[in-house]
């Protein structure tokens, strides 16, 4: 199709949304509990990602086989389950809600909540993340993404997902959404200005590829360009080769029958070449 | 947001589509050439995926780092560039158009076009594919996806993408798209029936996870459930362990300073355990 969006009326949009939800993966019991609880506790629960968007994020997180994720999320329904997760939160009410959910669903072994302004917190983070989910104050998005890229917090094969990049349509035009009520319109109009700036920044940043998907309230996906990916992989390898000599690795490999189940090995291929065995940690 | 779709008017939908295209990755010169040429040659070029959808697929293919893909595509603009690609095509006019594009853009070293009915062709395929793109006769989708799963053509970490699952809205309801002209309406209504059947099949297949994304003309993403992923990985390893003994691998590793750049190694971890070094090919 030459245009990328099917125009639906509000009534039909609701029907299409329900149909998609019905034929996609079901929410887990825990997701449903958090969803219902959030709806009962927060007047602005309408800002929460839809169950279908939650299913989409769970799908992508599983597909990514993420080991580490940084969820800049206001709401807990979209948090993936198996990875190490670091979440940044400012609002005391949301901090309390998050801690209640982590306790109730036994997630404290894998989730770390860092309290305070996200920009300050993200600047202190280190290591690499497979998924970085940005769903926070819209005038902060550019800073969060820029810091994640500048400080190489995004893993070579990871992606950043920014939510609400349409700002209910206000990013595109003040006329884009006649159904938006006057109350939230002023808020989303301001968000739209910040998000136009973000989009220009992303489009012009030579380090990354970006697509703005016309789905949900606008979802931007960001990944390293191949040139940056290769630079990152080489730099990771170089630092690891220095710290572990090949001979050590070999001697351990020879005795690996007993030890291998504790070994953590990383091989990285670049085209047809395979780099050195660069990393091994035996407990 | 509690609903998953923002309802746009046709005029606004066009504007939103243009905005997204503008801030997403640009088409390459080759993509643009194929796009313009297809528009000039085919009366039904309006069926072609939009440039934004093309950019999305290129993004996902690069992110997947696909080595092998099976594009059941009618149009060539969405074919990824670096992987080995097998494409199945029935229509003589589309076969000629595809061959012209492969020649013009020097793709014959990586693309294989198999002529004939896709169901017959897919049943003869072997090996595994990282991306399987299904964009063909809608009443054939269920058979193509079922064969890909039954014959394990989808790699453990790969995904299947089915396009046009909304059938312009007719999958959801005959009333879903008042802007659909009478001419194509009958065709898409029939497609909608087949696609409802596909969605029911996918939702009930215990081997896979699925999300139907409300984007473009409806895009279904399909991946193996984790249980199936583990079974597949174990079966791949078992067949490789049999053919290459660990001792051989070790002796080659000891001499790897010279040989390693031709080695192709596969390590697969399951939870905290790391499986044996199962595969090594030294030229």
């Amino acid at each position: 199709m030459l245009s990328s969006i099917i125009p639906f009326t509000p009534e039909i949009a609701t029907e299409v949304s329900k149909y998609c939800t019905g034929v996609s993966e079901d929410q887990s019991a825990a997701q449903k509990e958090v969803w219902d609880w959030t709806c009962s506790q927060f007047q602005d629960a309408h800002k929460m990602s839809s169950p279908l968007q939650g299913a989409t994020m769970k799908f992508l997180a599983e597909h990514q086989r993420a080991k580490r994720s940084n969820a800049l999320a206001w709401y807990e329904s979209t948090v993936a389950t198996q990875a190490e997760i670091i979440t940044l939160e400012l609002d005391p009410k949301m901090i309390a809600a998050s801690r209640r959910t982590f306790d109730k669903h036994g997630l404290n072994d894998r989730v770390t909540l860092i309290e305070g302004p996200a920009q300050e917190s993200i600047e202190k983070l280190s290591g690499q993340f497979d998924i970085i989910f940005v769903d926070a104050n819209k005038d902060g998005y550019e800073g969060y993404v820029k810091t994640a890229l500048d400080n190489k917090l995004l893993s070579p094969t990871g992606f950043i997902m920014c939510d609400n990049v349409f700002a209910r349509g206000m990013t595109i035009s003040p006329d884009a959404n006649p159904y938006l009520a006057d109350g939230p319109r002023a808020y989303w109009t301001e968000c739209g200005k910040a998000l136009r700036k973000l989009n220009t920044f992303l489009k012009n940043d030579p380090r990354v590829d970006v697509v703005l998907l016309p789905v949900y309230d606008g979802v931007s996906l960001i990944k390293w360009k191949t040139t940056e990916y290769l630079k990152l992989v080489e730099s990771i390898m170089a630092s690891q080769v220095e710290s572990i000599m090949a001979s050590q690795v070999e001697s351990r490999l020879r005795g690996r029958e007993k030890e291998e189940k504790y070994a953590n090995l990383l091989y990285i291929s670049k085209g047809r070449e395979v780099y050195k065995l660069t990393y091994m940690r035996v407990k």
Side-chain angles (χ1 to χ4, degrees), chain A residues 30-48:
Chain A
Q31 280 179 308
K32 193 163 176 355
E33 189 278 334
V34 173
W35 174 266
D36 292 341
W37 182 83
T38 306
C39 286
S40 75
Q41 297 291 316
F42 290 86
Q43 284 198 326
D44 58 349
H46 58 84
K47 280 185 181 169
M48 186 159 54

Side-chain angles (χ1 to χ4, degrees), chain A residues 61-134:
Chain A
E62 286 186 9
H63 179 255
Q64 177 78 10
R65 305 199 174 276
K67 295 275 182 279
R68 198 161 185 237
S69 168
N70 170 12
L72 277 169
W74 279 359
Y75 296 98
E76 62 277 62
S77 68
T78 51
V79 169
T81 53
Q82 296 303 318
E84 179 192 349
I85 295 164
I86 296 182
T87 180
L88 314 180
E89 185 54 63
L90 178 64
D91 179 349
K93 192 173 175 199
M94 288 311 304
I95 290 170
S98 300
R99 295 215 186 276
R100 169 257 174 212
T101 298
F102 304 153
D103 290 344
K104 185 169 176 79
H105 295 284
L107 298 171
N108 288 310
D109 60 341
R110 67 191 72 153
V111 181
T112 304
L113 189 152
I114 302 176
E115 301 183 11
Q119 186 60 41
E120 286 178 23
S121 301
I122 198 172
E123 282 171 11
K124 291 178 195 149
L125 290 177
S126 60
Q128 296 195 312
F129 296 83
D130 300 303
I131 299 176
I132 298 179
F133 178 53
V134 184

Side-chain angles (χ1 to χ4, degrees), chain A residues 247-265:
Chain A
S247 61
Q248 281 182 284
V249 174
E250 270 196 34
S251 70
R252 287 184 177 179
L253 263 184
R254 277 194 291 272
R256 79 177 187 289
E257 283 304 316
K258 285 177 193 163
E259 297 185 18
E260 65 177 355
K261 70 178 181 180
Y262 301 108
N264 183 2
L265 296 162

Side-chain angles (χ1 to χ4, degrees), chain A residues 165 170-173 191-201:
Chain A
V165 178
M170 296 304 99
T171 305
I172 291 96
S173 144
C191 293
K193 288 179 195 165
L195 291 163
R196 285 186 82 90
K197 215 167 138 279
L198 170 79
N199 293 332
T200 304
F201 161 73

Side-chain angles (χ1 to χ4, degrees), chain A residues 29 41 55 57-58 63 67 90 120 142-143 183 225 237 254 267-268 275:
Chain A
Q41 297 291 316
M57 293 175 69
K58 184 163 173 283
H63 179 255
K67 295 275 182 279
L90 178 64
E120 286 178 23
E142 185 175 334
K225 276 191 194 294
M237 286 188 308
R254 277 194 291 272
Y267 253 93
I268 297 166
Y275 281 87

